[in-house]
Amino acid sequence: MAAAAAESNSILKALEAGPGARFLPRFQRVPLRRGAVLHYPGEPAEAVCFPLSGLVAVMSDSADGESVQTGMVGCEGAVGAFEAYVGGRFASKYVVQVGGEALRLGAATFRELCREALDFRQRMERYFEFLLTESRVLVMCNALHGVEARLARSILEALERSCIEGPLPLTQEALAQMLGAQRTTVAVAMSRLQRAGLVRSGRGAVTVPDRAALERLACRCHLALHEARRGAWGEGAGRLQRSG
């Protein structure tokens, strides 16, 4: 079961051939329930979760209790991989934003796998490089680009990395946390996107009827992140359909 499921995660595809294949039976398939907190800051990294579908938000809390999303993990990546790799603790809170499933591996077994499977370890190192690239791109994006372009980018990123079909179950509150913006600001921007026919929003879900048009509106950071994923994994790291 784990071998077939591993195909749904960009990192785990490397395990089907070579010395890492023998580790596949040691993965446990687990649900990702929307709203569940997977990790709190300060917790030791005891396992690594590789999403097969769904989306996990990386949240940072300010001293006055405000929460801002500083990253996301979907079927392109792994939750807790860096922390487990170095035997460290979590610095952020990880919350399931879009429900799905994941394959879970204990931290000690994960480190053993990295030691024994060179190709897998190299994929993990490329993923860590992608995380650095993503953090730099997002800092620049939040500083330089308007809210509508960032909103378009965030919706597209969530679509590509959650690997789910149909409406994307994201509330305006979740989108506001993604952008580091007020909910009222996001509501105005979402209304403009809806009037332009780029998205449909209601009942806590977002649908994208014209993906190509939304991609044209999104800032170039969306393309930069997509290319960074392609650089890490090659084909299959997203579903970019930019035209024009």
Side-chain angles (χ1 to χ4, degrees):
M1 179 183 294
E7 273 293 312
S8 298
N9 181 278
S10 296
I11 298 174
L12 296 184
K13 290 179 180 179
L15 288 183
E16 288 195 302
R22 71 179 184 87
F23 286 84
L24 284 170
R26 301 170 73 174
F27 283 83
Q28 178 187 9
R29 193 162 185 163
V30 296
L32 296 175
R33 295 187 173 89
R34 184 178 181 182
V37 178
L38 301 183
H39 304 288
Y40 286 97
E43 289 184 350
E46 298 178 346
V48 181
C49 281
F50 298 83
L52 308 174
S53 60
L55 203 63
V56 178
V58 185
M59 305 298 298
S60 295
D61 296 336
S62 68
D64 57 4
E66 295 291 331
S67 291
V68 175
Q69 183 171 327
T70 55
M72 67 172 69
V73 184
C75 58
E76 86 295 336
V79 175
F82 180 76
E83 292 84 355
Y85 192 75
V86 300
R89 295 175 179 270
F90 289 96
S92 301
K93 182 168 65 176
Y94 287 75
V95 183
V96 178
Q97 198 166 56
V98 176
E101 289 186 303
L103 290 178
R104 185 178 186 272
L105 187 68
T109 307
F110 171 75
R111 289 190 290 271
E112 181 184 353
L113 171 57
C114 288
R115 287 193 300 268
E116 294 194 16
L118 176 61
D119 184 54
F120 180 79
R121 183 171 73 249
Q122 290 174 335
R123 289 177 79 86
M124 289 308 315
E125 290 170 351
R126 291 198 297 271
Y127 178 59
F128 299 153
E129 290 174 0
F130 166 73
L131 293 178
L132 286 173
T133 299
E134 180 185 41
S135 66
R136 291 165 182 159
V137 168
L138 293 181
V139 168
M140 178 186 67
C141 185
N142 289 336
L144 298 179
H145 297 145
V147 66
E148 289 181 28
R150 290 191 289 127
L151 178 59
R153 186 260 302 160
S154 296
I155 293 171
L156 290 166
E157 283 287 301
L159 276 173
E160 292 166 6
R161 296 165 71 172
S162 64
C163 295
I164 64 171
E165 301 296 332
L168 188 64
L170 283 178
T171 64
Q172 288 190 3
E173 180 180 1
L175 290 168
Q177 289 176 334
M178 280 186 182
L179 301 180
Q182 294 294 323
R183 184 173 174 179
T184 52
T185 302
V186 171
V188 171
M190 182 65 77
S191 178
R192 290 174 179 161
L193 266 58
Q194 289 189 87
R195 287 199 301 271
L198 304 183
V199 300
R200 288 196 295 267
S201 177
R203 298 177 181 257
V206 177
T207 303
V208 180
D210 191 345
R211 188 185 182 111
L214 190 64
E215 287 174 347
R216 288 192 293 270
L217 174 65
C219 58
R220 300 295 291 182
C221 296
H222 172 235
L223 181 60
L225 290 172
H226 177 81
E227 291 303 321
R229 292 197 301 274
R230 284 178 61 88
W233 324 131
E235 295 296 330
R239 300 193 296 267
L240 187 71
Q241 298 175 357
R242 181 176 288 273
S243 60

